Structures are given as structure tokens and as C-alpha cells.
Amino acid sequence: MPDSIVQVADFVTIHFNTTRLEKYGERINALKKSGKPVICNEDDKTGKEGAAALALSVINGCSWGYMHVEKNQTIPFKFEGVKDDTLVYDMMKKVTTPGYKIDEGFYSDYK
């Protein structure tokens, strides 16, 4: 992203759809150098990979935007909450629970 845009923005958004999990830290940390909050507003990873993506985003100081393509990105929309992806929703609950520590073993394959 051009520095001229980052300098006048309140925050920086990123999509992780095609980003390999091993690259999350690198991409987030590059954007954090701007001094602006980094917000992922779209990632199409699901299941264990989606839960790891969420964990890696949080560990690196970035939000994570869940996008379950098959369930709720096409018409007719079908949103079933936790049933959409129990692994991802379980991780969401964990990372938003005060005092929860993300188990490094869960994401260590992707560091």
C-alpha cells in the first residue's frame, strides 16, 4: 500500500484470502510499521486453518475477519452461527475471553 494513503488513513485494512499462514506475521508487522491499527476484514480460511489464521492474527496484533464463502457469501445466505464452523467459533470465543492464552502448539506449524 502506498505510504501516501497510509499516512492519511485512520487504520489499514488487509485481506488474507490468498495469504499462506506462514506469512501472516510478516504481512501484519510490515503494516504495523505505519503506526496505524491493522484490521483484517476478510479471510476465507475455515476449519483448523481458519482457527490458526485467527490465532496468528491476534498474536501479531491484528483483527481477523471471518468469511465463510460456502456458508454466507452467496445467495441464498445461510448463517447458522457456531454450526457454520465450530473450530473457528471456538477460537473466537477463546481469544475474546479475558486471560486466555493461545496455545503455541496450535499455530506453531505456521510461524
Side-chain angles (χ1 to χ4, degrees):
M1 181 175 298
D3 283 340
S4 60
I5 293 174
V6 173
Q7 289 174 5
V8 297
D10 293 326
F11 54 87
V12 180
T13 60
I14 188 170
H15 287 185
F16 285 134
N17 296 328
T18 60
T19 303
R20 293 188 339 262
L21 294 172
E22 303 85 42
K23 295 290 186 180
Y24 276 48
E26 180 182 320
R27 290 198 61 204
I28 292 166
N29 288 319
L31 292 172
K32 284 173 61 178
K33 289 177 183 175
S34 71
K36 309 287 175 113
V38 180
I39 300 170
C40 168
N41 68 339
E42 185 176 299
D43 194 346
D44 61 2
K45 293 170 189 69
T46 58
K48 185 174 181 185
E49 186 180 40
L54 169 54
L56 287 165
S57 294
V58 170
I59 287 164
N60 284 287
C62 179
S63 69
W64 188 72
Y66 177 58
M67 183 183 81
H68 195 312
V69 175
E70 291 80 26
K71 285 286 195 171
N72 35 47
Q73 291 294 312
T74 57
I75 298 173
F77 299 110
K78 186 177 182 184
F79 178 72
E80 298 179 290
V82 175
K83 290 181 186 178
D84 285 350
D85 192 326
T86 56
L87 291 174
V88 167
Y89 277 90
D90 183 55
M91 183 58 72
M92 282 184 197
K93 183 176 180 179
K94 288 176 179 177
V95 300
T96 58
T97 299
Y100 175 75
K101 303 282 188 224
I102 298 171
D103 177 9
E104 186 175 325
F106 185 78
Y107 63 87
S108 61
D109 292 343
Y110 309 109
K111 287 169 77 179

